[in-house]
Amino acid sequence: MSESGQTMYGRRILFYNIMEITVNLESRSYPVFLDSGNAPKLGSFLSDKFKGRSCALVTNDTIAKLYSSYINTLTKKTGCIIHVVPDGEKYKTVETWNSILHTLIKERLDRTSYIIAFGGGVVGDMAGFAAACFMRGVDYVQVPTTLLSMVDSSVGGKTAVDHPLGKNLIGAFHQPAFVWIDIDFLKTLPRREFIAGYAEVFKYAFIGKDEMFTFIMDNKDAILRSDPKALMECIERSIRIKAAVVGEDEKEAGARALLNFGHTFAHAFEQFYGFEGLLHGEAVLWGMVCAVELAKLNRTLPENHWNIFDKIIDGLPLPSLPSSPNADKIYSAMFSDKKVCGGSLRFILPAAPGVSVIAKGVGESEVKTVINKVLSADSKDTSL
């Protein structure tokens, strides 16, 4: 019931006319299904794949209202129970995660049960972490509804909750059974959330080799306008790049660290603002600009490339910051991030179009200089 085909970016596998991209982890490999309008097929697919197994659907209160009829359809197809969490990064806590576990235990799910994570990155991270821990690990399915979760957090098996002292410090690697992406969910995504997801798409220009750099250069405005053709292709390209990186380095022992481009800065920004007022993707937008400036300052990026990097950064929809930044406090926050190694900060910095490197031993004065220089640009709000 499957056939092969081609897309503009490599091989395409069709399953019930749905594109399939494989995350290759040998015996634990799994598919990412990607298309437009494939959401109605999910219920039947779940009931066939997990026949007779109990399940729980985890979502947030915003998605629960927007897609109540769709959730009811899934409930009828799968018999799943529903657990709704509050919407927002500030609720990505041990307490909220524990509430999911409480429901699983109260409703007497067992080790054959599975979890459906229906929502954005926060829902996916918490539901996945609950799946990793419940009965020492059960299956779960990612059904992302935001651009950020489609191109990044739903793929790769990173699950976690935040701690007041740092982002994603409590979690586990737990790969999903599969990922089901319907880009039609983006039609209800608020503009601000879309731009936050655009940041993670943009990230792949810096690590996805020259072809992806050129694609983003040529299509960044079309993607930002939600042009259907450009949007579908950028999502596919992003997933393929991430799948390849995860297949090579599942638990971030080496190459996977490159996926954190801009994130050493971004996570510190989020912590500084108390995980409120600045979305993760918005922090990444600022973090990527900082990474480029830091690469210029310490000469990781040769001067002959500065012009082209200025062009790709130019016009980024940088959001306003909740309040004036404090470089000392932001720098201090970086040391509670997972990317610290042996007490030393690690930054992912550009070295050439589509190529970034892991930089260690960057000086405190350099980091603070970049923060003060870049974040002063907040006075010229370029958000769309």
Side-chain angles (χ1 to χ4, degrees), residues 59-120:
T59 191
N60 65 41
D61 46 18
T62 301
I63 295 296
K65 292 174 184 176
L66 277 173
Y67 291 102
S68 58
S69 60
Y70 179 67
I71 291 172
N72 288 337
T73 299
L74 287 180
T75 301
K76 291 176 183 177
K77 284 283 187 180
T78 65
C80 62
I81 61 169
I82 310 298
H83 182 89
V84 180
V85 300
D87 187 9
E89 182 81 28
K90 69 179 180 178
Y91 299 109
K92 188 179 167 185
T93 63
V94 169
E95 290 75 20
T96 308
W97 166 75
N98 185 56
S99 74
I100 300 172
L101 292 174
H102 180 79
T103 294
L104 301 180
I105 296 168
K106 180 182 177 182
E107 296 295 332
R108 298 185 178 180
L109 272 69
D110 57 40
R111 63 181 54 189
T112 69
S113 303
Y114 66 98
I115 296 173
I116 305 166
F118 182 45

Side-chain angles (χ1 to χ4, degrees), residues 211-241:
E211 184 182 7
M212 187 61 170
F213 189 92
T214 301
F215 173 79
I216 295 297
M217 280 284 288
D218 294 342
N219 294 277
K220 62 177 184 174
D221 293 335
I223 297 166
L224 199 53
R225 293 196 309 270
S226 301
D227 175 82
K229 183 178 178 181
L231 188 57
M232 177 63 84
E233 186 174 356
C234 85
I235 293 172
E236 181 189 348
R237 284 176 177 263
S238 298
I239 293 170
R240 290 189 185 278
I241 292 169

Side-chain angles (χ1 to χ4, degrees), residues 198 202 205-206 213 216-222 224 261 285-286 288-290 292-293 296 305-318 374 377 380-384:
Y198 177 84
F202 206 86
F206 297 95
F213 189 92
I216 295 297
M217 280 284 288
D218 294 342
N219 294 277
K220 62 177 184 174
D221 293 335
L224 199 53
F261 182 84
L285 284 169
W286 282 110
M288 290 189 294
V289 179
C290 287
V292 171
E293 286 300 316
K296 290 179 182 179
H305 289 315
W306 289 10
N307 184 54
I308 191 170
F309 274 82
D310 287 341
K311 286 182 179 178
I312 197 168
I313 287 292
D314 184 52
L316 271 181
L318 298 172
V374 172
K380 54 168 189 175
D381 180 17
T382 59
S383 59
L384 299 184

Side-chain angles (χ1 to χ4, degrees), residues 233-369:
E233 186 174 356
C234 85
I235 293 172
E236 181 189 348
R237 284 176 177 263
S238 298
I239 293 170
R240 290 189 185 278
I241 292 169
K242 183 158 191 184
V245 172
V246 171
E248 177 185 347
D249 176 22
E250 180 183 3
K251 296 188 177 180
E252 207 168 296
R256 186 164 180 171
L258 296 174
L259 293 170
N260 289 316
F261 182 84
H263 285 58
T264 301
F265 286 101
H267 287 177
F269 298 158
E270 289 181 90
Q271 185 182 337
F272 173 74
Y273 289 114
F275 302 105
E276 291 191 75
L278 191 68
L279 299 176
H280 172 66
E282 293 174 335
V284 172
L285 284 169
W286 282 110
M288 290 189 294
V289 179
C290 287
V292 171
E293 286 300 316
L294 183 57
K296 290 179 182 179
L297 187 62
N298 70 4
R299 301 290 169 164
T300 304
L301 184 66
E303 194 166 351
N304 62 304
H305 289 315
W306 289 10
N307 184 54
I308 191 170
F309 274 82
D310 287 341
K311 286 182 179 178
I312 197 168
I313 287 292
D314 184 52
L316 271 181
L318 298 172
S320 292
L321 298 172
S323 62
S324 297
N326 182 302
D328 290 335
K329 291 182 178 179
I330 291 171
Y331 180 76
S332 178
M334 290 179 176
F335 285 90
S336 60
D337 192 77
K338 303 187 307 303
K339 290 173 285 300
V340 173
C341 184
S344 176
L345 294 177
R346 291 188 302 168
F347 293 89
I348 311 303
L349 302 179
V355 178
S356 291
V357 296
I358 301 172
K360 300 178 182 178
V362 179
E364 178 179 350
S365 62
E366 291 178 293
V367 176
K368 291 181 179 179
T369 295

Side-chain angles (χ1 to χ4, degrees), residues 189-211:
L189 189 67
R191 182 63 176 166
R192 184 183 178 191
E193 293 278 0
F194 182 89
I195 292 172
Y198 177 84
E200 293 287 0
V201 172
F202 206 86
K203 171 187 75 177
Y204 290 104
F206 297 95
I207 65 171
K209 300 182 180 178
D210 186 64
E211 184 182 7

